[in-house]
């Protein structure tokens, strides 16, 4: 069992989920997927997209990086396959700009779909023009060095979430969700079931039906002792 | 006098300000209104709009919610009237996504103009497409449950500001300002007076007149002992 | 030697770098310039642009302001020349909105190119329409007074960086970099050398060449003891 | 109804709770009182005592202060009676040192029991020697001026909590709790009931009885679907 | 392989390291142990002891708790053995006071040595008197409920560090370090080797030998291009 | 003029203020000295002492360190004289433990009086036993490496304050103040004048004289429009 971080290694071969399942998860979006797997897997909401409108999913190629050092990103790109997403965690908190347009060019050439980094990024204008989406903690002009070893494709923490190489990353304007590879199909089914459901609900609510009635919440409120008052004066 | 938070109640009837006054306050914008009422009523600047360009005002329907629980939002929507704005405060700090496209659909069906929430929101892409503006502390995929009672239409704190149900909320790209209902007309007059004034000032400044002269600041600077030096070397 | 902050003075005459050099630095962008001068001069990444797409450089007219007091901004505008950028530091942390559309109108009338402020700004919609770029710590409706003296064109701190009047400010979507006036040409040369280099690198990477090979990183990895594993199981 | 902050006034006469009730609340301590009044009234836990071991209660004399300005503290001390506690909120966040040994000397001469301040304090060594307890957000050498009006004995916010003049402040090493004056006796009874109870519970737990059994939690766990596993391997 | 958090289970039996090894690790202290295992395993430094002077080590009984809910702490205490340390992580950030004198009494009755909690604690005066050490993120009077399931003895995150049940916790005034159970002996040897070394070093340094010489740093400085200047003027 | 940070150098000779002046400043304390030099020079209040009761002053030997790297501390100790205080700033924010009992032993052997570090420290128990005072941003078990050059005795920023080598550091339980070397005597005189004054004020206040009267504040309040109300009801 792998329980603690290892430094100085790269794992060449990782298992990935079925690409059709991954793409279908992307269409569901991060919030629905998060809901569908029981409200777990969310990255900290300080992770924000550098441009809006992207909605992607892919297999995590994980990068454990030292603060201010992006050496391992170069190592990771060689191990990427089309459909992968780079996921970077650091051994100490850092906001430096680990990744810019050159790395994005290289990553896109390998078919990488995007980057999720618990640190900073730069060249955001170029990345936007390239349509290379990034979710990051910061945007920073401060670059990095290539001096100290981290690891690639090891389990790591990214923005408060545990990520295994090969886990599915689902990311959009709402944030980022991690789905364990083994659960991909099960979560997809649950997500699609939620979605099927939502169209009808949306229509009802648009027509003026209240959530209180549609979800039958009134008995629960009453049971919990909820009281309606006619005016604020009754609270005096 | 209501001085402390009450949990487990909803107040059905609240007084609202005149809708013409409210709409006129929206046209003035949050910064001008804030200035006009003596620099009070501003929410903490961590409250940011999910899309830019919205400028609204409305009557506050207040929601005191438990952390991670959006039950009270459903209760509140039933009590809304066209022109209202939902204002959510929480009993403990929370960044979870309390509100998404289904609740927005329901709120829009009741004529609700927007949401101000001292917590998180999700489905921001859908909300943008629906033109349903939100000012929030966070965007988060992490949803909420419906287990624990809060209150609706009670006095509460939102982003460091005291809000009474029926207070006027003015919100735009600059942030959010609360105007006590009783002061609405007085504040509107002051805001409009400021605005009348501003066109002329803007023209003067654009033509090259200095603020120092337009506001007659030079005597005050001199009186306060302000000194002009010819170069940095004089400080040595 | 000026080592500590002085209050209550304005320096009329400051030296500025050559305008052709300044404009050329703008074209390089903040990240490249930061890199070119040895990874120093970056402002804290909490400084964010109020709209995206601007890329400017100019000579710093520095403003040391009291918290919640923008008196000195008016003093500074008189001392500006076309091509200048206002740089505001405060004597205590503050997020209030020091600067809005009237001050921007006045500044633009003097040829000021933008504002970098370690505090708040407002009227962001108007500033966007005017194409007056601002990098700030906050957007806030809370205005300021004009009561207490600060200084203009003195050395100060802004977002964690020391700035001298006349230093060159380079700012874009990635953030803000300060270049000491005396180093402007040297830094420009280094920045342009980096840029010349980048086109070729980009092409190679786009064609599939790996950074590992292009930068000849493999010997260094090996020397540092980096190991490749075939699968995660080898870590067990 | 007082719903929004007023500046520039001092209220001379405020109602205070019975001093025997106040002293009895002090003996219960802040955590027990907080529990007894239904888990409300707690100040933000960033409020820390400058020395440990103090446990006090008193009537709130409230001070709404401008950032960096302690003028109103002087106004407030005149209005204090023996048994009062100064409660300072600010109109903008501030960590400056508003209060030191001279003000403490003056306050102690009036019988003031301590200070709760959502800002900074200084001379902490002297205050410790004087046994004048303070709960604050910061310790800071940076003093304040006496230039701008605030108010005394108006409703205000302190560390996220609404405080009315005359409310009871209970403070100890665990933090600070506010009890509305009108509820003082009711809360005291509930607090004393909790305490009566605690001795017996403590004895049982010390003898090895488990909370699971003492509080009869096992049926609830079972009903909620809680499962016991023999080893971690069952989770694989 | 356990890679993601499970809710609603307790694992009865966990493996623990040899108690003599654990006690020897305590004597080395958290900083030395952290150093000895290669600078990993440290909890975030926001974790502070409620009183100074404690230095303990023990086997982690892990508790994954919901925000504001301490139900699982009661479940965990039944599963503790003498020499254990409770380690609490939460599913969302929380500063509430999960633990007070009653739980400490119960835990001490089971031989529990202390608590490490990525949330708040209360009754700190009583806990100090009982000599029950706690490392926490906050001290808070705000108590918790017992409504929602978490888990006991599952892998979890605590203050940015991954903890497995049975891992060794070493904690003192400097902070908290986690040692994977399997590595306990190896880390102890490395820690003791460091310590053996330190006495001699301390003596040399006390006698005036410089670290520059003792560690033979001068050649490295020279090789890296480090320059000595006679005075600041040479930098001009 | 030195305006920007230099890396990779150590300045051997710095000017220091008169030791009698330095020692007299220590007796005044940090808050009084800060006040006496016009309310400037204060370090950010997040800088806290590791134990209470120390009150020192000394000449700054400045250390600009890389994040997580304490190599320069060793370089600095060689350049220290009795009466110096080490002042550490970092090139990026860091909370690692740069300094422990071995470095303190070496520093004490050179007559160094203490450490002010805008980062972390460890072995706080030993440092307390050695009576070696430290003001730091954090306490952390995480040690540092000795890989990358910084500088010694260059101008730097520490906790938001500019420090020149040879400036006087005054530190006590209230925080840390920097006095420019050239101003030492002038500031001392002002500080001693304040102190002379304080004894009399303290006596008056202790006898019940109000600050309002002692400082003759009533006319100013009246002029500013301050109003006294008899009761809260007048605000309704």
């Amino acid at each position: 069992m792998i329980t603690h971080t290892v430094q100085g290694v790269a794992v060449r071969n990782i298992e990935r989920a079925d690409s059709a399942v991954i793409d279908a998860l992307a269409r569901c979006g991060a919030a629905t997927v998060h809901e569908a797997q029981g409200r777990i897997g969310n990255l900290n909401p300080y992770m924000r997209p550098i441009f809006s409108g992207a909605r992607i999913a892919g297999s995590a190629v994980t990068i454990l990086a030292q603060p201010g050092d992006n050496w391992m990103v170069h190592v990771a790109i060689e191990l990427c396959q089309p459909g992968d997403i780079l996921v970077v965690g650091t051994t100490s908190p850092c906001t430096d700009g680990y990744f810019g347009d050159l790395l994005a060019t290289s990553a896109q050439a390998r078919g990488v779909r995007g980057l999720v980094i618990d640190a900073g990024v730069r060249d955001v204008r170029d990345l936007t023009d390239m349509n290379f989406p990034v979710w990051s903690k910061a945007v920073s002009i401060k670059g990095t060095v290539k001096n100290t070893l981290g690891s690639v494709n090891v389990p790591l923490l990214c923005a408060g979430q545990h990520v295994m190489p090969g886990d599915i990353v689902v990311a959009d304007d709402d944030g980022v969700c991690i789905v364990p590879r083994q659960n991909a199909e099960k979560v997809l089914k649950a997500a699609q079931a939620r979605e099927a459901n939502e169209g009808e609900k949306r229509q009802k609510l648009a027509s003026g039906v209240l959530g209180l009635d549609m979800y039958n919440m009134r008995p629960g409120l009453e049971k919990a002792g909820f009281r309606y008052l006619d005016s604020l004066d009754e609270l005096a």
Side-chain angles (χ1 to χ4, degrees), chain A residues 54-112:
Chain A
R55 171 165 281 188
I56 62 170
S59 301
V61 167
T62 63
I63 301 171
L64 180 69
Q66 303 292 336
D69 192 306
N70 74 352
W71 204 6
M72 290 300 110
V73 181
H74 292 274
V75 172
I77 287 175
E78 184 181 30
L79 306 180
C80 285
Q81 297 182 3
D84 285 349
I85 293 177
L86 296 166
V87 176
V88 180
T90 64
T91 58
S92 277
C94 184
T95 61
D96 293 350
Y98 279 72
F99 193 97
D101 73 318
L102 288 180
L103 277 167
T105 301
S106 184
Q108 264 190 343
R110 309 288 291 190
V112 172

Side-chain angles (χ1 to χ4, degrees), chain A residues 7-41:
Chain A
Q7 293 179 19
V9 303
V11 173
R12 285 188 202 278
N13 304 303
I14 61 172
E15 294 185 64
R16 290 167 173 87
D18 181 76
S19 70
V21 172
I22 293 173
D23 292 351
L25 284 166
R27 285 190 293 274
C28 295
T32 296
V33 166
H34 178 257
E35 209 65 48
Q37 75 174 335
R39 290 200 186 95
I40 59 172

Side-chain angles (χ1 to χ4, degrees), chain A residues 52-224:
Chain A
S52 61
R55 171 165 281 188
I56 62 170
S59 301
V61 167
T62 63
I63 301 171
L64 180 69
Q66 303 292 336
D69 192 306
N70 74 352
W71 204 6
M72 290 300 110
V73 181
H74 292 274
V75 172
I77 287 175
E78 184 181 30
L79 306 180
C80 285
Q81 297 182 3
D84 285 349
I85 293 177
L86 296 166
V87 176
V88 180
T90 64
T91 58
S92 277
C94 184
T95 61
D96 293 350
Y98 279 72
F99 193 97
D101 73 318
L102 288 180
L103 277 167
T105 301
S106 184
Q108 264 190 343
R110 309 288 291 190
V112 172
R113 291 181 174 171
L115 167 69
V116 171
I117 179 164
D118 193 4
V121 67
R122 60 186 189 173
D123 300 334
V124 296
R125 169 122 306 234
D126 295 323
L127 300 183
T128 304
D129 291 345
M130 295 167 67
N131 196 28
F132 188 86
V134 177
W135 287 257
S136 73
K137 184 166 73 175
V139 173
S140 172
I141 61 172
K142 190 174 180 204
T144 52
V145 296
K146 293 157 188 45
N147 286 337
T148 317
L149 296 182
S151 288
V152 173
N153 279 334
V154 295
L156 51 70
L157 294 178
C158 178
Q161 191 55 235
H162 196 249
V163 188
M164 294 287 290
D167 278 356
I168 294 129
V169 180
V170 185
D172 60 20
D173 288 352
D174 287 339
V176 183
C177 188
I178 304 299
V179 179
R181 185 179 49 80
Q182 304 88 323
N183 303 349
E185 289 190 48
K186 192 176 63 179
V187 171
L188 176 60
K189 268 183 204 150
Q192 288 174 332
R194 287 184 70 86
E195 288 213 320
N197 222 343
E198 289 213 339
E200 193 189 349
K201 282 186 194 166
R202 194 176 293 109
Q203 246 177 345
K204 275 193 190 169
L205 293 168
S207 74
V209 176
L210 289 167
L212 284 181
D213 296 316
M214 192 173 81
Y215 300 111
N216 192 27
M217 288 173 170
R218 296 191 198 273
L221 285 169
E222 197 179 328
K223 194 175 157 199

